[in-house]
Amino acid sequence: MSRVESLFEELTFPVARDHAAQQFSDVTLRFADGDGNLGEYVAECPSETFDSANDLYADLNNVLPVEAVGEPRQSEGDG
């Protein structure tokens, strides 16, 4: 996911969700248990526009499958 953040830095902000999704329509994300299309995940983000790469990244983390953001029982909060 660290590479995703650097991709977002290439956009000019503010950016519309649809434009960002189109920009990343050919980017495949690889997860521990499969893969997915970055453009499709960006298209699912709740915000219509993003003011910064951080805003886009935060929204993206809310729509990614659990295997993309970490495995169950590996965070300190899963006790």
Side-chain angles (χ1 to χ4, degrees):
M1 289 300 294
S2 61
R3 293 181 187 173
V4 170
E5 284 184 281
S6 64
L7 287 175
F8 291 168
E9 293 293 337
E10 296 173 8
L11 293 172
T12 301
F13 292 92
V15 65
R17 177 186 57 219
D18 293 342
H19 178 74
Q22 182 181 14
Q23 290 297 113
F24 302 117
S25 64
D26 62 345
V27 176
T28 300
L29 297 176
R30 303 227 186 273
F31 310 128
D33 190 22
D35 57 18
N37 181 275
L38 178 56
E40 291 176 11
Y41 289 122
V42 170
E44 294 177 19
C45 289
S47 299
E48 291 184 24
T49 60
F50 306 101
D51 292 326
S52 69
N54 288 339
D55 290 346
L56 177 51
Y57 188 76
D59 258 24
L60 179 66
N61 278 301
N62 290 320
V63 299
L64 287 174
V66 71
E67 59 266 13
V69 293
E71 294 296 322
R73 307 212 180 279
Q74 286 189 350
S75 74
E76 293 177 25
D78 281 345

